[in-house]
Amino acid sequence: MTIYSQKITDAFQTVFSKIPSFIVRAPGRINLIGEHTDYNEGFVLPAAIDKAIYFAISPRTDWIGKLYAVDLNDSYEFSVDAIQKSSKSWANYLIGVTSELRTAGYVIPNGFEVAFGGDVPNGAGLSSSAAVESGMGFALSELFGLKVPRLELALTAQRAEHHFAGLQCGIMDMFASIHGKAHSVIRLDCRDLSYEYFPFNFVNYQLVLCNSGVKHTLADSAYNTRRQECEAGVAILKQFYPHIHSLRDVSLAQVEAHRTDFFENVYRRCRYVTGEIERVVAACEDLKRDDLEAFGKKMYETHEGLSKDYEVSCVELDFLVEQTFDKEEVLGARLMGGGFGGCTINIVKTEKVTDFIQQMIVSYQHHFNRKLVCHVVKITEGVEKLN
């Protein structure tokens, strides 16, 4: 049992005066390559990591759902057979999953008690909310013998995010938390949700996240604008290729052939997305060959595209990536997530990780007068029952 799973177990016993039926671990996720491709029906390459949310859960004999957020030291109760949104945003993630399971026809026969918390850092782009939703769905399925398939759990978590948290997110975060596999990345096809595992087990290198500590308010509005620009590009290309449905159906060569038909900003958005979709496919071939160096170069190409063509980076993220250019121990680095803040993800030689982190902290502090928090993460199994 980990420190965090023990902490959640102890909290459950203190709050509910009983031993939980079992513990569930739901991991956060990283995305190695394939950014802003999901809503263009392309490929992404995520993995589950060893930062996770833990759940302790037991059934009740009435219809009350009792929730306890350990890290917030906050409680909430709701009626399982008459579900309503809460004014507490954190509670809606769990209530939403319960509601969506019932809406899908799964029978939750009575109430339950759950305590949850963990070490997925908030605001770092590691998808703590998706881990909460994924873990809650899995815990309820196990507790009441619902036998919900893993893909359905991911879709349930996504619907909970849409309907109760109010964020129209894609499927990647929940999918990765639920389908993760140790020492492997998942190539998820965001068009039909088919997926394939590729090996990522390089003992001589580690994954290091450098959290800029920045979250610009531009992120949400820019996300919507980028989606609209991609759709505008598809509408133009449809005049020449009537069969296309999304940028997934378009090659980079086709975008270049029609450059003069686009506004400049739409051209650059389409150039990035089509190139990135092709890059994910090629990067998977690199992994098959154990060519981590070639994979790392593609990460740098992704960052360049996100910064210059897609314009979702910021000075802090560009600085963090640029600091790695002269470091031989770093094979690749890029911003991870929607952009305008959050983390960079770096592939760093194991023996140099400590030095790398220290140098990055010093240079970031010197340049921005802000503390840089770094996390070394390992790729792990997806959501699972611990006991």
Side-chain angles (χ1 to χ4, degrees):
M1 189 173 277
T2 69
I3 294 171
Y4 283 95
S5 60
Q6 186 64 58
K7 176 184 173 183
I8 302 307
T9 302
D10 292 345
F12 183 95
Q13 290 181 250
T14 300
V15 172
F16 299 116
S17 301
K18 64 169 77 166
I19 296 172
S21 298
F22 55 84
I23 308 297
V24 163
R25 172 189 163 274
R29 69 99 190 95
I30 53 174
N31 186 30
L32 272 294
I33 201 165
E35 214 66 78
H36 288 279
T37 51
D38 53 349
Y39 52 84
N40 289 292
E41 298 189 333
F43 297 102
V44 290
L45 201 67
I49 58 170
D50 57 349
K51 303 285 184 187
I53 304 294
Y54 297 87
F55 296 78
I57 191 166
S58 283
R60 290 176 59 86
T61 55
D62 57 18
W63 285 96
I64 302 298
K66 291 194 171 189
L67 314 175
Y68 178 62
V70 178
D71 299 328
L72 301 175
N73 189 25
D74 197 11
S75 300
Y76 188 76
E77 291 186 13
F78 70 102
S79 177
V80 173
D81 62 343
I83 294 176
Q84 294 183 326
K85 283 187 184 179
S86 168
S87 58
K88 294 184 178 182
S89 59
W90 68 262
N92 281 324
Y93 294 107
L94 295 86
I95 295 168
V97 170
T98 309
S99 177
E100 294 298 334
L101 283 173
R102 284 171 57 86
T103 301
Y106 291 99
V107 177
I108 296 176
N110 44 263
F112 51 85
E113 294 159 336
V114 62
F116 74 100
D119 62 342
V120 182
N122 280 327
L126 302 183
S127 298
S128 55
S129 61
V132 170
E133 292 153 344
S134 301
M136 184 65 179
F138 184 82
L140 290 173
S141 180
E142 292 290 312
L143 187 67
F144 296 122
L146 304 181
K147 295 184 167 60
V148 185
R150 286 191 176 241
L151 178 55
E152 183 57 32
L153 283 174
L155 292 167
T156 298
Q158 183 188 28
R159 288 193 296 269
E161 185 98 24
H162 289 182
H163 299 152
F164 281 77
L167 181 65
Q168 300 301 307
C169 63
I171 191 70
M172 176 179 72
D173 298 349
M174 300 82 174
F175 194 97
S177 182
I178 289 168
H179 291 82
K181 183 178 175 183
H183 312 306
S184 301
V185 290
I186 313 162
R187 187 174 73 193
L188 172 64
D189 185 331
C190 295
R191 168 169 282 171
D192 62 12
L193 301 186
S194 60
Y195 62 98
E196 186 177 352
Y197 292 105
F198 289 84
F200 200 96
N201 187 23
F202 300 93
V203 294
N204 295 327
Y205 288 88
Q206 293 194 42
L207 296 166
V208 181
L209 308 179
C210 296
N211 187 358
S212 68
V214 173
K215 192 62 181 174
H216 287 298
T217 53
L218 288 170
D220 292 339
S221 60
Y223 177 85
N224 293 331
T225 302
R226 294 299 176 276
R227 289 192 75 143
Q228 291 161 7
E229 289 167 334
C230 291
E231 289 162 7
V234 171
I236 289 166
L237 289 165
K238 263 184 177 292
Q239 299 171 39
F240 307 97
Y241 312 102
H243 67 282
I244 71 167
H245 181 260
S246 68
L247 287 178
R248 164 68 177 276
D249 302 315
V250 181
S251 69
L252 177 57
Q254 287 171 318
V255 171
E256 295 291 3
H258 295 280
R259 177 171 186 169
T260 56
D261 297 300
F262 297 104
F263 288 114
E264 180 63 19
N265 64 322
V266 172
Y267 159 70
R268 287 189 286 114
R269 309 307 186 236
C270 293
R271 178 170 68 177
Y272 165 73
V273 171
T274 52
E276 181 76 344
I277 291 171
E278 293 176 8
R279 201 155 32 237
V280 175
V281 175
C284 290
E285 295 305 308
D286 294 337
L287 293 180
K288 278 185 179 178
R289 295 192 303 270
D290 286 341
D291 191 346
L292 197 57
E293 194 167 325
F295 186 96
K297 286 178 181 174
K298 290 179 177 63
M299 290 173 66
Y300 280 124
E301 291 169 9
T302 292
H303 184 82
E304 180 73 7
L306 287 167
S307 180
K308 303 295 192 296
D309 277 350
Y310 220 63
E311 296 183 284
V312 293
S313 190
C314 60
V315 292
E316 296 89 351
L317 292 172
D318 286 343
F319 175 84
L320 287 171
V321 171
E322 288 161 8
Q323 291 304 294
T324 70
F325 288 168
D326 62 351
K327 298 184 188 303
E328 290 184 5
E329 67 269 25
V330 181
L331 292 187
R334 71 173 189 86
L335 75 83
M336 185 181 74
F340 302 106
C343 288
T344 62
I345 180 168
N346 306 264
I347 300 178
V348 185
K349 188 167 281 189
T350 301
E351 66 199 40
K352 297 284 190 177
V353 164
T354 302
D355 290 344
F356 168 78
I357 289 173
Q358 187 57 38
Q359 289 167 12
M360 294 295 279
I361 288 172
V362 170
S363 59
Y364 196 72
Q365 179 72 40
H366 177 74
H367 200 81
F368 294 105
N369 195 28
R370 187 182 295 132
K371 184 178 180 182
L372 180 72
V373 177
C374 298
H375 306 277
V376 180
V377 297
K378 291 183 171 59
I379 295 176
T380 64
E381 296 294 327
V383 66
E384 58 188 341
K385 191 174 170 181
L386 295 185
N387 62 343

